[in-house]
Amino acid sequence: MKVYAHRHLMALAIASAFALGSGANAASTPERAENPFLSQADAAARSARVSNVDYTLDFTLTGKESFSATTTLTFDLADTASPLTVDLDKATVKSLLVNGKPVTPKYNQWFITLQPQDLVKGRNTVTVAYERLHSTNGEGLHRMVDPVDGKVYTYSHFEPAAAHQMFAVFDQPDLKATYTVNVTVPSDWQVVSTTRETSVQDAGAETRRWSFPKSKKLSPYNFSLHAGPYKVWEDNSGKYPMRLFARQSVASQIKPAEWFKYTKAGLAFFDEYFGIPYQYGKYDQLLVPDFLYGAMENAGAITFAEARFMYKADMTTAQRHSLASVIMHEMAHQWFGDMVTMKWWNGLWLNESFASFMGTLATAEATEFKDAWQSFYSNGKQAAYVQDQKATTHPIEVPVASTQNAFDNIDAITYSKGASTLMQLRHLLGADVFRKGVHNYLVKYQFKNATLDDFIGSLGAAAGRDLSGWTRQWLYQPGVNTIAADYACKDGKIASFTLKQSAPSAALPTLREQRVQVATFKLNGKQLELDKNVAVTYSGAKTTVPALAGSACPDLVYPNYQDWGFAKVQLDKRSFNTARGNLSGVADPLLRTMLWQSLWDGVRDGKLPLNEFIDTALNNVPAEKDYTLLGDVLGKVATSKHYLNAMGPNAPYAKKATRELEQMAWNGVQSSKGDDNFQRRWFYQYIEMATGREALDRLASILDGKTKVDGLVINQDLRWAIIGRLNRFDYPGSTALIQLEAERDKSDAGQAQALAATVSRPDPKTKAEWLGTIEDLKTRLPFSKVRTAMNHLYPMEQALLNEQTAERRLAKLPELDKVAGPVYMRAFAGAMLPATCTPASVKRLGAAAEQMKNLSAGTRRALLDAHEEDQRCVTIKQAMTAPKS
């Protein structure tokens, strides 16, 4: 109850802030802290005073490094008892008018402070003219120069709170506003925003002025503006006009028909499911470079990371599935997040959880990817299980003190555990009741802000049930429970059956209510067949399952059949042995996926030796015919290779297992001829496994065309993957390959691949130079390149090189954390902490964690996680048994 109590105290604090923001007590409102971030208390005080906000935005974009703009804010103010701040980041303010009167700006580079004497109670108008540099880190109004043709592209990204990096704004989600926009740009540019333009007029010999009508009410982070000489595709075959945008130099790599097919299907699905038509009139999607995340749900103008959705060959099934699921995720946000928005960033998880849940549901029901929930289980849900078992786990709903902390908890718990709890709630309430509650919520709060209690209240009202207990268990308490079957058999029949639930630790004691399916299976020859399946709502430590009494004594019990629940499954000994020996005899792909996961959990928990898992993979993976499951298991095999690398290059078993995994992948490439999906999946695995000289020789021969792979086209993406692998192991002549390929592929994607290959080389001088660049916060390199260098600088095989700068990087952490900002630190702490899977490395990270207790919340969590995962790696190495001859 500690977290829930803390949340209650926070609520009282916010209520006090609201009270201070109005009426006679407003004069006692404390001044806003002089720093780049907005606290929840300050945001609450401001929203208590400000309402009915409208923006008129006028931008002049030339393609140069800076832009000029004028923001006119119109708003109602409840009182003039204290100053009012307007957010604007690192701009040069040219003029400030407050209610028609010129005012000398009081501006600290983060926000403008308006004095009470210049404001009036009631309607106010503030006009700010300014100039600002474009951003190059993916936030604000980002600018990129295409290295192929020199064309300039800009796009905005504001989540969680970066709108003030582009215009003067009350940059908080609960001050929704309308936006009227005018933009002057070079004549060959397109301009895209929330609404469709009403006019485009010549504004000189080489410029045009685009005008956009007033938008519907949006939180600042959901508004957007994108401009540049984008290529445009249009499709008007559906209910809403659809457009797709991409840079001219990459247009040939885009498959617009695929995008429009899934977009059209999704809009029809969500219109029908929510019972509320799509609200923004047109549906634009833009592929943009240097993007920080996968995609962003800007209302009516969604942005996608080029790097994830742009291919130099036909898309594989997995790539199309990924495209469809992300389109659906961002589309769900148009209702849940854009139309109805959380009041503050503590509610961001609900937006993401709901979009993850609805995106998967829509993918499964409105596209050809009917196994979308299997994919969700293998990817997002497993990441949530891993995160929720760490010492740094957190509740789904957590307080967020300021905008600095808005993304501290944006992780697999936010997305996938949250989505899993919504799926669980749907099972508890029934699909129709759940849908009714969602519809009622969206109708009641459309174009407004809402809280978790509003959402749960709508579902509870639809169900006629008090969900406060469920909410406390699932949303305010962290940790994943373990469920296990405890049964006894007599005369070949189940005599008693109990479902046991355990808490992860004494520190996380919560036992939850949940509805699952408990299934029993019998072996019929080599086939595992379902015998009985019972739906059970369990709670507490033990729940008897009388419906299973008298059924056949099982060879395997799976207590979360078809993945209804969010719980770690601990197989009983008989079931575990059955799973290990009979994976290929399980016909159901989802069950087979879950049994593989149980084995992998055994490895991560130090209970199943890694070499036994590898043996199981070698014996079963080559026969796997389910494409989605093959990708899942090959991912686990790749992680196994990571642990083998940690054993050292000369460890006998590591050498032997590596050769066997290389050969398995190569056999998979050859046996998949005629099936491009499987063959490419196996070939990427072969590249990732290739370590020995024979395998690297083969890759080099494939690259230069001497060795042909029957049926496989070695496209540009595969060429870079091979070159990266050869350089990682300093293959003879590999350095020259980088320059040659960069001449062949002059795109920014090619530049990124060349950089990744360069920094991954086992060359101390190169490492030192790039580490210096990474740590130089004044570098003029775009952040996308700095992040690429971070992610490839220290591969696991290069532990000795990693060790050479390990102490330096750790020592630098507090200094960077103070000045670098959240975007940089999320990347640095995620990629650059020295974890080399040795007891000494574990000790070093532990000492740093003990000493560095004043790091920002996000950076400290990353440090603690690195320490815990490094210890897990050591444990896995120590759990290895003597390999069988």
Side-chain angles (χ1 to χ4, degrees), residues 233 244 250-262 287 309-315 320 323:
W233 297 269
L244 181 66
V250 302
S252 63
Q253 300 174 45
I254 311 303
K255 308 295 187 292
E258 299 280 357
W259 286 78
F260 291 137
K261 176 178 72 172
Y262 298 130
L287 287 105
F309 303 105
M310 195 174 66
Y311 308 102
K312 294 183 172 70
D314 289 341
M315 284 189 285
R320 287 197 305 274
L323 173 62

Side-chain angles (χ1 to χ4, degrees), residues 392-403:
T392 57
T393 188
H394 57 85
I396 294 175
E397 168 90 359
V398 293
V400 174
S402 82
T403 53

Side-chain angles (χ1 to χ4, degrees), residues 577-728:
N577 290 332
T578 298
R580 286 180 59 191
N582 298 276
L583 279 168
S584 59
V586 179
D588 179 356
L590 177 57
L591 178 62
R592 203 158 66 247
T593 301
M594 298 172 88
L595 294 177
W596 271 110
Q597 187 60 45
S598 292
L599 299 183
W600 186 244
D601 285 343
V603 173
R604 284 185 52 81
D605 293 343
K607 296 176 180 177
L608 177 67
L610 177 66
N611 53 283
E612 294 188 23
F613 178 86
I614 291 174
D615 286 346
T616 303
L618 291 168
N619 290 330
N620 288 274
V621 178
E624 184 54 61
K625 300 304 180 188
D626 184 88
Y627 178 69
T628 299
L629 176 52
L630 178 64
D632 175 31
V633 182
L634 289 182
K636 291 175 170 56
V637 170
T639 306
S640 297
K641 179 64 165 57
H642 169 87
Y643 293 131
L644 291 176
N645 293 336
M647 296 175 68
N650 298 314
Y653 177 71
K655 281 186 173 182
K656 173 180 178 291
T658 295
R659 286 195 301 270
E660 291 174 335
L661 293 173
E662 287 173 348
Q663 191 60 47
M664 179 181 75
W666 182 245
N667 291 342
V669 172
Q670 294 179 308
S671 64
S672 299
K673 175 188 173 183
D675 189 322
D676 184 59
N677 282 303
F678 275 81
Q679 191 170 44
R680 277 204 265 175
R681 178 152 275 177
W682 275 114
F683 190 66
Y684 272 113
Q685 184 76 5
Y686 182 66
I687 295 172
E688 194 160 0
M689 294 295 104
T691 303
R693 183 57 184 261
E694 181 181 352
L696 295 172
D697 283 344
R698 178 179 280 149
L699 287 179
S701 182
I702 290 171
L703 184 70
D704 67 18
K706 293 177 181 177
T707 296
K708 302 291 184 182
V709 182
D710 200 6
L712 184 68
V713 176
I714 306 300
N715 58 50
Q716 185 66 70
D717 293 331
L718 284 174
R719 290 184 64 83
W720 275 120
I722 293 171
I723 290 168
R725 193 69 182 179
L726 294 177
N727 276 275
R728 185 161 164 168

Side-chain angles (χ1 to χ4, degrees), residues 399-698:
V400 174
S402 82
T403 53
Q404 182 179 19
N405 310 108
F407 268 12
D408 284 353
N409 299 301
I410 298 302
D411 53 25
I413 291 176
T414 302
Y415 282 76
S416 299
K417 182 180 180 180
S420 299
T421 62
L422 293 176
M423 172 60 95
Q424 177 58 215
L425 197 53
R426 185 173 183 249
H427 284 303
L428 279 172
L429 305 182
D432 290 340
V433 171
F434 181 86
R435 181 176 178 177
K436 179 182 177 182
V438 169
H439 169 80
N440 292 345
Y441 169 79
L442 293 174
V443 169
K444 184 175 182 179
Y445 296 103
Q446 58 185 319
F447 300 108
K448 299 177 183 177
N449 297 88
T451 65
L452 171 63
D453 289 343
D454 296 327
F455 177 68
I456 294 296
S458 294
L459 295 179
R465 173 175 171 173
D466 179 5
L467 293 174
S468 59
W470 181 92
T471 302
R472 285 193 298 272
Q473 288 180 3
W474 282 101
L475 305 183
Y476 297 138
Q477 300 297 334
V480 57
N481 297 107
T482 297
I483 56 174
D486 183 15
Y487 61 95
C489 294
K490 184 177 181 180
D491 299 328
K493 303 289 185 182
I494 294 177
S496 62
F497 195 107
T498 300
L499 193 60
K500 297 172 66 176
Q501 178 183 199
S502 58
S505 67
L508 301 171
T510 302
L511 298 178
R512 297 171 172 87
E513 177 188 10
Q514 187 165 201
R515 189 165 179 80
V516 297
Q517 294 181 106
V518 181
T520 62
F521 299 84
K522 292 290 292 181
L523 277 170
N524 182 5
K526 294 185 177 181
Q527 299 299 307
L528 198 64
E529 297 178 349
L530 177 65
D531 182 59
K532 195 160 187 179
N533 180 30
V534 177
V536 178
T537 300
Y538 70 83
S539 60
K542 295 181 179 181
T543 301
T544 58
V545 187
L548 287 174
S551 59
C553 191
D555 293 303
L556 182 142
V557 177
Y558 201 83
N560 187 21
Y561 185 53
Q562 296 180 335
D563 193 34
W564 282 15
F566 185 85
K568 187 176 178 180
V569 171
Q570 180 179 311
L571 295 178
D572 62 272
K573 186 175 181 180
R574 179 183 176 92
S575 297
F576 189 83
N577 290 332
T578 298
R580 286 180 59 191
N582 298 276
L583 279 168
S584 59
V586 179
D588 179 356
L590 177 57
L591 178 62
R592 203 158 66 247
T593 301
M594 298 172 88
L595 294 177
W596 271 110
Q597 187 60 45
S598 292
L599 299 183
W600 186 244
D601 285 343
V603 173
R604 284 185 52 81
D605 293 343
K607 296 176 180 177
L608 177 67
L610 177 66
N611 53 283
E612 294 188 23
F613 178 86
I614 291 174
D615 286 346
T616 303
L618 291 168
N619 290 330
N620 288 274
V621 178
E624 184 54 61
K625 300 304 180 188
D626 184 88
Y627 178 69
T628 299
L629 176 52
L630 178 64
D632 175 31
V633 182
L634 289 182
K636 291 175 170 56
V637 170
T639 306
S640 297
K641 179 64 165 57
H642 169 87
Y643 293 131
L644 291 176
N645 293 336
M647 296 175 68
N650 298 314
Y653 177 71
K655 281 186 173 182
K656 173 180 178 291
T658 295
R659 286 195 301 270
E660 291 174 335
L661 293 173
E662 287 173 348
Q663 191 60 47
M664 179 181 75
W666 182 245
N667 291 342
V669 172
Q670 294 179 308
S671 64
S672 299
K673 175 188 173 183
D675 189 322
D676 184 59
N677 282 303
F678 275 81
Q679 191 170 44
R680 277 204 265 175
R681 178 152 275 177
W682 275 114
F683 190 66
Y684 272 113
Q685 184 76 5
Y686 182 66
I687 295 172
E688 194 160 0
M689 294 295 104
T691 303
R693 183 57 184 261
E694 181 181 352
L696 295 172
D697 283 344
R698 178 179 280 149

Side-chain angles (χ1 to χ4, degrees), residues 191-197 212 224 226 236 239-243 245 263 267 278-286 298-302 334:
V191 184
V192 182
S193 190
T194 297
T195 56
R196 190 71 181 259
E197 69 277 5
F212 297 82
S224 66
H226 322 286
N236 296 309
K239 184 178 178 182
Y240 309 101
M242 299 176 290
R243 294 188 298 177
F245 297 79
T263 302
L267 286 167
Y278 173 69
Q279 293 293 301
Y280 303 109
K282 50 88 178 180
Y283 205 87
D284 292 337
Q285 296 173 111
L286 302 94
N298 313 304
I302 300 87
Q334 303 298 304

